[in-house]
Amino acid sequence: MTQAPADRPPYIGPDGQPYVDLWQTEGSRAGPALGQNGSYSCELYGRKAVQHIEGHNASTPLFFYVAFHDTHSPLQCPERYLPGGYKPSSLSGPDHARTIYEGMLTCVSIATGNITNALKSKGMWENSVLFCKAAQIGRAHV
């Protein structure tokens, strides 16, 4: 990829179109979320949600929507979320898919817990409504 002009996103893809897959929309770092490559999205979104809650004035209402993408393919997650110290290379067949999916859900559970704890710490939990919804993804292959 080549560097784009200053008034465009930072990279131009092979098709000549701007290539940015993650944006920072607030503060002095507004624009492409550079330096985030290699981040697991669940951890990134969870951290950002907690930071936003911690910085929010608890006396004012807050509508917050966090869309974790982890329960979609591709099935992948950091090894630290895999149960029992499994390594992706040590699994095969249906056990492989189920184990990776379990790791993905573990990350979502931890991030949701961190968000809940942040709301509790700010005294906002008692006036909160938390909805959790799984996307309809069709036939499951796990």
Side-chain angles (χ1 to χ4, degrees):
M1 288 189 235
T2 58
Q3 189 70 28
D7 63 339
R8 300 211 29 219
Y11 297 104
I12 302 299
D15 60 357
Q17 297 299 312
Y19 179 81
V20 175
D21 63 352
L22 184 62
W23 284 78
Q24 169 71 31
T25 59
E26 299 174 339
S28 63
R29 294 189 57 198
L34 301 175
Q36 299 299 318
N37 288 345
S39 298
Y40 192 55
S41 67
C42 180
E43 294 172 330
L44 184 67
Y45 299 158
R47 266 194 316 272
K48 191 68 173 169
V50 167
Q51 289 170 358
H52 191 79
I53 291 165
E54 288 173 344
H56 182 73
N57 178 352
S59 67
T60 61
L62 173 66
F63 174 82
F64 211 84
Y65 176 79
V66 181
F68 294 113
H69 303 152
D70 298 72
T71 56
H72 292 278
S73 61
L75 296 179
Q76 57 188 14
C77 72
E79 287 184 11
R80 64 185 163 274
Y81 296 113
L82 296 177
Y86 286 109
K87 303 274 186 222
S89 59
S90 68
L91 302 169
S92 63
D95 287 341
H96 175 72
R98 284 187 201 100
T99 301
I100 299 296
Y101 196 77
E102 182 179 345
M104 294 162 70
L105 288 174
T106 297
C107 186
V108 171
S109 179
I110 291 169
T112 302
N114 291 341
I115 292 168
T116 301
N117 289 336
L119 289 167
K120 288 178 179 179
S121 293
K122 288 292 283 195
M124 298 170 67
W125 180 247
E126 294 301 319
N127 291 319
S128 295
V129 177
L130 176 66
F131 290 97
C132 295
K133 181 190 179 304
Q136 198 288 330
I137 59 172
R139 183 173 173 233
H141 296 281
V142 289

